[in-house]
Amino acid sequence: MKTGLVLEGGAMRGLYTAGVLDVLMEQGIEVDGVIGVSAGAVFGCNYKSRQIGRVIRYNTAYCRDSRYGDVRSLIRSGDIYEEEFCYRELPDKLDPFDWETYRSNPVEFYVTCTDVETGRAVYHKCSGEREDQRWMQASASMPFVSRVVTIGEKRLLDGGISDSIPVNWFRSIGYDRNLVVLTRPEGYRKKPPKGLGLLKQMIRQYPAVVLAMKTRHIRYNQTLDQLKEQEKAGLALVLRPSKCIKVSKLERHPEKLKALYALGRQDAEQHLEEIRRFLEKPE
């Protein structure tokens, strides 16, 4: 039996997940594997590198930087999160990512992306090669505000387009019991997208992506229903925000980010013994 962590995206709503993960690391709670989507990928990798506090630290330090989630970056570079700053300068110099610990940690780490030619999910195991940073970038490259990321022959965008909560795929490769961290509170249901005319116009060269985005809410809500059944069967434990804190996808207010991070910590601490029991392996 393998245990896993499944991390939903949600851009800056992922600060909730960061709070949860920091508590898990502080308490020495480990799993066999992690799969992250979008923010769940670029924030979740810090669980494997064992860098407690790094996500909240760099997000509050740079959330108002014009290269980080700002329309000026989009105009200058084609990415609302500037590639050079976010995937080179920040992890290499400003707040270094610990690749050595990442590689030595036996926990497997996967990311989910969307193939823009097919509209289908692509799942990639990040073993510690520097190219893994490109996979994490692709997983977090939101449509409309990011350029397509090319890796080999694949052209990729945000994994949330095709599989926002990849618990079923994780189960299919042997992760039987999964702690699933969502970034929306209890009762949330995804609604059909608005502005489909604009959607078709902006990415008309990728019709499969248009279709995937039009039907995303159906797959998302189906997964929520399946998660309820998995919880009843003892195969999943879902952790989600216990209250609503309004944080936008591109939130630029440090205090709001700190509040959401604190909520993630609080919820994890309140459910700590339940999490331990759930992830405990039989002798």
Side-chain angles (χ1 to χ4, degrees), residues 14-34:
L15 267 295
Y16 176 82
T17 303
V20 172
L21 295 181
D22 278 358
V23 170
L24 297 185
M25 286 189 281
E26 289 166 1
Q27 296 296 322
I29 295 176
E30 298 184 348
V31 294
D32 297 306
V34 182

Side-chain angles (χ1 to χ4, degrees), residues 47-63:
Y47 175 85
K48 183 171 166 64
S49 66
R50 304 186 191 277
Q51 290 179 273
I52 298 170
R54 181 173 180 267
V55 175
I56 185 64
R57 184 172 63 240
Y58 75 72
N59 275 283
T60 52
Y62 298 107
C63 64

